[in-house]
Amino acid sequence: MKKANLNFYISSKTLSLNTLYDKIWSLHRVTELPEGSTQLFVGLHLIHEVTSPQAFAALDEKGLKVLCPERTIATVDHIVPTITQSRPFSDPLAEEMLQTLEENCKKHSIKFFKIGSGNQGIVHVIAPETGLTQPGMTIACGDSHTSTHGAFGSIAFGIGTSQVRDVLASQTLAMKKLKVRRLWFDGKLNQGVFAKDLILHVIQKLGVKDGVGYAYEFAGPAIDHFSMEERMTICNMAIEAGARCGYVNPDQITFDYLKNKAFAPKGNAWDEAIKWWKSIASDKNAIFDDEVRFNASEIAPTVTWGITPGQAIAIDSLIPSPESLEKSDQQIALEAYKYMDLKPGSSLEGLNINVCFIGSCTNGRISDLQKAAEIAKDRHVAKGVKAFVVPGSEQVAKEAEKQGLHKIFLKAGFEWRKPGCSMCLAMNPDKLENNQISASSSNRNFKGRQGSANGRTLLMSPAMVAAAAVTGAVIDVRKLINKKI
Amino acid sequence: MKQDTLFPQGSIHSVTGKCMYLSGNDIDTDRIIPARFLKCVNFDTLGNHVFIDDRSEKKGMHPFDQNHNKTANILIVDKNFGCGSSREHAPQALMRWGIRAIIGKSFAEIFYGNCLTLGIPCVIIKEEDASSLINFLNKNHDSIFKLELEKKMITSKEHIWEISIDNSSQRMFLSGGWDATKSLINQIEKIQTTKSNLPYINSFQKLQEKPS
């Protein structure tokens, strides 16, 4: 791997030319603001119950209206319980948040995908699967994992609540142009290695800071062969590498996915759309600010051992010693050993697990559940382990049930839940207790992230989580594939 | 907590007050305000819960609990402060606790932007200047400092330390333009022009159409 030169906050000049990012940026540029930032039009604005109420309140305080209500779509995901979703929710705060969202959507004529509508789910799962997310768009949402939508060749980024207010009021944002780094992947992933492993590997190699100031273009033969859902997994975690957005150029795989989706163009508009979508991909001679190259065939199943997504190792290697790390990473490594109660030089394989969580905007889609079900099939969750599967959306749940995946999980001793963000961030009843260790297909292993102040999270692919569930400990999933352990 | 302190407004040239230092690289937004406190429809009570897990672990010895820091309004941090979530709850929690400026070796990008939109300057200090400032602060907890955005420095009665801030953010604080909503809405005609030129809006996609 070739490491790039990194200059944070030093040079504001970007070199990139004719990349997808440059093209979409130019097309959505409204004007240059006097303070030196660019006013950028937001093509699709997604909102949910956590980061929108304060934005609507601020709008009311200023006596402003929603400028383009037809370009904003709402759903509820973070706070929904996943066992029973009957109203009112047992948590009055959660109920209040949902009611506030319902009232705001009604008042401002915003389309709301409510529970039971068939379209509710995690915002980064439902927008792609309904065809709202399309190539060439700028997409904003008050949630950092908005980078997910970049999988379609859109420029999608998370925003804060004040910016949600700005988008509601003006359908635009004040932004600065990012640099563009191309991450090139030769080769292809080996059996038992998944998109999640690829992105955890990237974050481990480049660190959680190196993407700051960059958009990441994921490209190369390995990415060309990825399905849309695999592309969503890697773009989803671009933000964990520090990059505000990540994207993949749109291609036939993108178009095939979008064809016949509810909000995708139809008839003549479809042909016109494809023509335009093809034109916004990075040109062959596009110039990038820099490039880092990887070989996908060298990547092993990857698991985090610490308290940042960059503190990860290949399953067949050992937890690093502080001396082997860069100086700036040593302090947080010491904090991580202590918090996780893990020793440098030890292996993660064999580490007992208390809770297994399959779901989230990173890995809660149908192909993720299929891969986990392949491992769960004809096996059983180990004694003392709590394992549960949370589909990313009502559509995912419906499809999984059509395929009988829920039966495989239930038979194997997993719980089959209703759609939502669940234990990825535990703003709902799904939480770790005390210092439990979870094997989780989600995206963040920060201290306290999964609902207990001393709860511990190991991030890994859904297949690896299923493997941990049935053996009761962290295990290299390749040992279970095609074998009966 | 100092909720009665006025929140930032208008042009911001300087921030004057006591400093406090919080050590550690990569302090993420979930540590600043754990996710379980995000269930709220307004930000009013967030200040009470800032760094709550770290604070209960340190039993009164956390910088946000130490007596000499109770009235501090300038926070000094290390590298990549505020990484993690895009949720504005983290800077909101710091602001509602009483923080009005942050001096650090580097910041996470979304956090930096969120602070800007709240009128909280995040400024960069070089490693050696940071050490000198922190050394001085450790011996002079009650010193009053002045962070000056135009002159790019922080001063105590006796000392001057250099800081840096990118030109665009600096202009936004000085002009009051950090409160972006107004300047964005002013461009309504240009917004409509940009919108009508987008192929996915003017030709092949109409969101308002019912899906078939």
Side-chain angles (χ1 to χ4, degrees), chain A residues 77 111 114 249 252 255-256 358 421 431 444 475:
Chain A
D77 53 9
K111 192 187 283 293
K114 64 178 183 185
N249 285 304
Q252 197 56 45
F255 311 146
D256 291 345
I358 295 169
C421 295
K431 296 177 200 305
R444 287 195 175 136
I475 182 171

Side-chain angles (χ1 to χ4, degrees), chain B residues 26-90:
Chain B
D26 305 313
I27 291 181
D28 61 68
T29 48
D30 280 59
R31 282 175 69 186
I32 298 173
I33 183 81
R36 63 183 185 281
F37 293 106
L38 307 189
K39 263 195 263 174
C40 57
V41 289
N42 60 52
F43 288 133
D44 298 349
T45 59
L46 288 180
N48 291 324
H49 303 302
V50 71
F51 287 110
I52 193 73
D53 289 340
D54 287 4
R55 285 160 70 187
S56 35
E57 194 186 310
K58 294 207 166 152
K59 299 185 176 59
M61 295 309 288
H62 190 275
F64 277 75
D65 284 322
Q66 286 172 314
N67 264 331
H68 55 257
N69 289 333
K70 289 256 158 95
T71 55
N73 60 354
I74 302 172
L75 178 64
I76 304 169
V77 297
D78 290 324
K79 285 184 191 157
N80 198 30
F81 187 74
C83 57
S85 154
S86 66
R87 278 175 249 128
E88 201 172 295
H89 300 65

Side-chain angles (χ1 to χ4, degrees), chain A residues 77-90:
Chain A
D77 53 9
H78 287 63
I79 53 107
V80 294
T82 61
I83 293 180
T84 166
Q85 297 186 329
S86 59
R87 301 278 301 273
F89 294 152
S90 56

Side-chain angles (χ1 to χ4, degrees), chain A residues 9 27-31 33-37 39 41 43-44 50-51 53-54 62 64 67-68 70-71 79 91 93-94 96-97 100 111 131-132 134 136-138 142-144 158-163 165-166 169-170 172-174 176 178 208-209 212-214 239 244 262-263 265-266 269 272-273 276-277 328 331-332 335 338 425 427-428 444 446-447 449 453, chain B residues 23-31 34-43 53-54 57 78-80 83-89 92 105-110 112-114 116-118 124 166-169 171-172 175-185 187-188 190-192 194-195 197-212:
Chain A
Y9 303 109
L27 199 67
H28 292 80
R29 203 178 62 87
V30 172
T31 190
L33 294 166
E35 289 83 12
S37 54
Q39 184 170 0
F41 187 84
L44 176 65
V50 181
T51 53
Q54 302 88 351
K62 290 176 186 250
L64 296 168
L67 185 67
C68 308
E70 82 284 1
R71 313 266 3 136
I79 53 107
D91 175 355
L93 264 174
E96 186 191 0
M97 290 170 86
T100 307
K111 192 187 283 293
L132 284 166
Q134 294 173 17
M137 287 181 166
T138 46
D143 186 284
S144 56
I159 53 177
T161 292
S162 296
Q163 291 177 306
R165 173 201 65 201
D166 291 346
S170 72
T172 61
L173 280 172
K176 277 186 211 145
L178 297 168
V208 292
K209 304 186 263 293
V212 176
Y214 283 87
I239 186 64
R244 185 110 181 238
F263 290 94
K266 307 274 176 343
E272 199 186 329
W276 183 65
W277 291 343
S328 60
Q331 190 196 350
I332 189 134
E335 235 180 292
K338 189 173 161 229
L425 84 173
M427 283 186 75
N428 50 65
R444 287 195 175 136
F446 298 154
K447 286 180 172 181
R449 168 79 176 183
Chain B
S23 68
N25 293 332
D26 305 313
I27 291 181
D28 61 68
T29 48
D30 280 59
R31 282 175 69 186
R36 63 183 185 281
F37 293 106
L38 307 189
K39 263 195 263 174
C40 57
V41 289
N42 60 52
F43 288 133
D53 289 340
D54 287 4
E57 194 186 310
D78 290 324
K79 285 184 191 157
N80 198 30
C83 57
S85 154
S86 66
R87 278 175 249 128
E88 201 172 295
H89 300 65
Q92 282 278 359
K105 292 167 193 167
S106 68
F107 295 92
E109 193 177 321
I110 300 182
Y112 181 92
N114 283 338
L116 178 70
T117 59
L118 292 180
I124 308 280
D166 69 274
N167 292 339
S168 149
S169 303
R171 280 199 297 275
M172 287 172 87
S175 69
W178 55 270
D179 186 358
T181 320
K182 205 174 163 206
S183 49
L184 293 175
I185 298 172
Q187 305 293 338
I188 186 70
K190 286 182 182 169
I191 294 171
Q192 297 297 5
T194 307
K195 183 182 175 187
N197 285 334
L198 289 169
Y200 62 85
I201 291 178
N202 79 357
S203 58
F204 63 78
Q205 193 202 27
K206 298 263 187 278
L207 275 176
Q208 60 270 35
E209 278 173 14
K210 284 228 157 98
S212 51

